Amino acid sequence: MAKKVTTVFFCQECGYESTKWLGQCPGCRQWNTFVEEKINPLAAHAAAGRQEKGSAKPTLLSEISTADEDRISSGIGELDRVLGGGIVAGSLTLVGGDPGIGKSTLLLQTCRQLALAGHKVLYISGEESLRQIKMRADRLGNFTEQMQLLCETNLDLIEDTIRRTAPEMVVIDSIQTMYSEMVSSAPGSVSQVREATGVLLQLAKGMGVSIFIVGHVTKEGTVAGPRVLEHMVDTVLYFEGDRHASYRVLRGVKNRFGSTNEIGVFEMREEGLIEVKNPSEYMLNGRPENAAGSVVSCSMEGTRPLLIEIQALVCRSNFGIPRRQATGTDFNRVNLLMAVLEKRLGIQMGDCDAYVNITGGIRIQEPAIDLGMVLAIVSSFKNRAVDEKIMAFGEIGLSGEVRAVSMAQQRVQEAGKLGFTTCIIPKVNAESLRPVEGVRVIGVRTLQDAVDLI
């Protein structure tokens, strides 16, 4: 007996499935996120039965060799760094980011570099016309005959084109515009996104094609659609930054072929995205001189030390409840550090407004910048400028102790390259540190010791 079409409800945030509408999703605890979709059981199992029975054959693990696995260089060093050394053949990569941040520009530049190197590239757009892509491509430079464009949203036609042309790299811009005729729901729905990603995953693994998918993001900054989308792909990259500023950060949050700690830094210009080879120098550009509340600290992004300027502004509040604001770092962490200052050092800031900012638009979560934030807050509170040649890093405990951090040697060496003469670091790190020419290292055990130095 033929199965009839059924109606189910999906959560737009996490993909949770229910037979009835719910006000709050049991999976992600979000409100009013359920949408109604019709599911055809015959169409749902059509993709699963595409391969003939008996075609699957297991392989011994000892017979599989990884020696011949080569990565393709994208021609963009910062992108290769985040990917773990280059593009892996047969990989499926998801690129997310805010509207206008530069996702399409980055992938179009990647396609240009690969086409110049002789690789066959196919760029599929469901949001722009061929004329619009051409106008944007003319600003980036010349393209070779290896670069092909296709404006299509029908998943069946896209699959047929990929199988027929057999490119080495495919860009899908974006996954929310693709639709399959076997799924009755609208493009961008949970069912459509899941079906489209499943088809692209089969193409990538079956043909050895490297596929990049552009994904829209929600207001919370996560990729829109079901959470299973991020589980299906091999790599998830987020393009971060303020679209009104020139600075961009490419960050990997999932990577089956490399580390997720690396970042790529770009600068948006009229001719496209330009790689920033020395992010530390770029971040410190335009730093004020002899200004209270400004301290340089160092954070590790993967294997790359990144010097950043931390600015703090502490002033008397005109209201009963003081205002606290943090930009580029965790707001709760700033409140915790101010509580440690009041408890351990007796610095009363309960009636003061406090603003902490990580310059350059970058977001840092590493606790190693605690010492720099505390010194910046104290400097602004006492209105005393910290020597511009001082760099400080270290984690602050609740007892006011300065705890050790990892990779202290690389941090101090990076400070020496940029002309810093003094580094205030945890005492434990200073005892095992090798001397760095031109840099005086001062180890501190407690927060009081660090504040006394400035």
Side-chain angles (χ1 to χ4, degrees), residues 127-329:
E127 300 178 344
E128 297 177 291
S129 64
L130 294 176
R131 181 180 177 85
Q132 288 176 308
I133 300 175
K134 174 63 176 177
M135 292 172 59
R136 185 153 47 88
D138 288 340
R139 298 196 301 266
L140 302 180
N142 297 325
F143 284 75
T144 66
E145 299 297 329
Q146 298 292 333
M147 176 72 178
Q148 296 179 325
L149 298 178
L150 174 66
C151 290
E152 185 58 64
T153 57
N154 191 316
L155 191 62
D156 296 329
L157 297 178
I158 291 174
E159 180 182 4
D160 179 69
T161 303
I162 294 176
R163 293 187 182 277
R164 183 165 29 88
T165 58
E168 295 182 60
M169 175 181 169
V170 177
V171 175
I172 305 293
D173 188 7
S174 66
I175 191 65
Q176 278 80 12
T177 61
M178 303 296 143
Y179 74 93
S180 174
E181 294 179 348
M182 294 190 301
V183 181
S184 58
S185 57
S189 63
V190 174
S191 300
Q192 288 285 7
V193 170
R194 185 163 48 192
E195 173 68 15
T197 307
V199 172
L200 295 173
L201 182 62
Q202 291 180 0
L203 289 173
K205 304 305 178 183
M207 300 180 59
V209 181
S210 301
I211 301 180
F212 282 77
I213 300 174
V214 176
H216 296 163
V217 296
T218 62
K219 60 182 179 180
E220 289 80 16
T222 58
V223 176
R227 202 66 178 179
V228 70
L229 174 62
E230 298 189 18
H231 295 300
M232 295 174 67
V233 300
D234 298 313
T235 306
V236 179
L237 307 179
Y238 277 96
F239 212 30
E240 305 172 352
D242 186 357
R243 64 176 180 174
H244 301 294
S246 61
Y247 161 78
R248 303 287 189 273
V249 171
L250 182 66
R251 188 185 304 273
V253 297
K254 174 188 176 181
N255 192 353
R256 290 174 178 164
F257 312 113
S259 173
T260 57
N261 295 323
E262 299 290 349
I263 65 168
V265 184
F266 299 88
E267 181 182 2
M268 178 64 80
R269 298 180 184 175
E270 184 179 355
E271 61 272 19
L273 290 166
I274 306 299
E275 299 178 67
V276 178
K277 300 295 185 180
N278 192 343
S280 297
E281 184 178 2
Y282 180 79
M283 296 294 174
L284 299 179
N285 188 23
R287 183 188 175 205
E289 298 180 0
N290 298 323
S294 175
V295 175
V296 174
S297 188
C298 184
S299 175
M300 292 297 301
E301 295 291 344
T303 59
R304 167 183 282 178
L306 190 62
L307 294 186
I308 54 174
E309 180 191 357
I310 302 175
Q311 293 182 338
L313 178 62
V314 180
C315 56
R316 296 295 176 184
S317 177
N318 295 323
F319 304 96
I321 301 177
R323 185 178 181 182
R324 306 288 168 82
Q325 181 174 333
T327 304
T329 187

Side-chain angles (χ1 to χ4, degrees), residues 390-391 412 420-424 436-442 453:
I390 290 180
M391 190 272 288
V412 175
F420 288 87
T421 58
T422 304
C423 289
I424 302 176
V436 178
E437 184 178 357
V439 179
R440 182 169 68 101
V441 176
I442 302 176
L453 292 174

Side-chain angles (χ1 to χ4, degrees), residues 38-39 51 67 94 97 129 131 153 288 342 345 385 389 414 453:
K38 294 182 179 180
I39 301 297
Q51 295 183 348
L94 175 64
S129 64
R131 181 180 177 85
T153 57
E342 292 192 3
L345 272 67
K389 295 298 182 180
E414 181 71 10
L453 292 174

Side-chain angles (χ1 to χ4, degrees), residues 34-157:
F34 275 87
V35 293
E36 180 182 4
E37 294 186 11
K38 294 182 179 180
I39 301 297
N40 189 341
L42 296 179
H45 293 285
R50 288 175 181 172
Q51 295 183 348
E52 297 181 359
K53 294 182 179 180
S55 60
K57 182 181 178 181
T59 304
L60 294 176
L61 182 63
S62 58
E63 297 178 354
I64 302 175
S65 174
T66 59
D68 56 348
E69 180 181 342
D70 295 328
R71 292 177 182 261
I72 302 174
S73 175
S74 64
I76 303 177
E78 295 296 298
L79 177 59
D80 289 341
R81 171 193 289 271
V82 179
L83 291 175
I87 303 173
V88 178
S91 61
L92 186 62
T93 303
L94 175 64
V95 181
D98 294 332
I101 202 68
K103 304 183 296 295
S104 300
T105 301
L106 174 65
L107 293 178
L108 194 58
Q109 287 186 224
T110 304
C111 292
R112 176 178 180 269
Q113 296 295 333
L114 290 173
L116 291 175
H119 301 285
K120 194 173 182 179
V121 179
L122 176 61
Y123 190 99
I124 303 174
S125 176
E127 300 178 344
E128 297 177 291
S129 64
L130 294 176
R131 181 180 177 85
Q132 288 176 308
I133 300 175
K134 174 63 176 177
M135 292 172 59
R136 185 153 47 88
D138 288 340
R139 298 196 301 266
L140 302 180
N142 297 325
F143 284 75
T144 66
E145 299 297 329
Q146 298 292 333
M147 176 72 178
Q148 296 179 325
L149 298 178
L150 174 66
C151 290
E152 185 58 64
T153 57
N154 191 316
L155 191 62
D156 296 329
L157 297 178

